[in-house]
Amino acid sequence: MFPSDAAESPLLARSDRLIRLGAALPMLAFGVIAVTARLLDPSQTTFVVEMLTVTLCAQSLTWCGLVGVWRCAAWNSGVLFYIWFGGTMGVLTLLATAIPAVMPIPLLAPLVATFARWRAGRRARPAVEDVA
């Protein structure tokens, strides 16, 4: 079974929602933290821990969604844009922490998804009609 539409598979629909939520979470949380930081006046360490936690949660959602897409073998479902968007937003969120070693981590999910889609496209063989 290779569903191409989210309506055909509840797992694919749930995975799509997880990936979209994981893509939106870093910048939404960054905005909330930036607005409340003026009021609460957290230390630099607290701010870094908050940013790392938000990015970890977003990456967890994205990777859980990727597992669902992998199980459905539906890499052409249009979710790749959201995976790249979430990875980029995760990098921008981690940019605020000023820790260069952790900044590229959110780009692992988009790279893995792109490679999986490329590989799925190469594995697909055209149907051969039996001529009798």
Side-chain angles (χ1 to χ4, degrees):
M1 178 178 160
F2 296 104
S4 60
D5 190 14
E8 295 177 19
S9 171
L11 177 61
L12 184 59
R14 186 180 70 219
S15 300
D16 187 48
R17 281 192 304 271
L18 285 173
I19 289 171
R20 289 175 191 235
L21 184 60
L25 185 64
M27 289 313 276
L28 290 174
F30 181 74
V32 169
I33 291 170
V35 168
T36 59
R38 193 76 166 138
L39 301 171
L40 302 176
D41 196 27
S43 67
Q44 179 68 22
T45 305
T46 304
F47 180 75
V48 168
V49 168
E50 289 171 346
M51 289 294 105
L52 292 175
T53 304
V54 163
T55 306
L56 177 67
C57 291
Q59 286 296 299
S60 298
L61 289 171
T62 302
W63 282 100
C64 287
L66 281 175
V67 168
V69 172
W70 173 72
R71 288 177 65 196
C72 291
W75 292 106
N76 289 331
S77 64
V79 78
L80 196 61
F81 168 76
Y82 296 102
I83 297 171
W84 273 102
F85 181 75
T88 305
M89 293 300 111
V91 168
L92 292 176
T93 302
L94 288 179
L95 190 66
T97 64
I99 304 172
V102 298
M103 286 180 201
I105 292 174
L107 292 177
L108 288 176
L111 291 173
V112 167
T114 302
F115 181 72
R117 183 176 179 193
W118 174 75
R119 220 172 138 209
R122 289 197 55 182
R123 282 184 154 179
R125 304 257 191 246
V128 177
E129 296 181 21
D130 189 20
V131 179

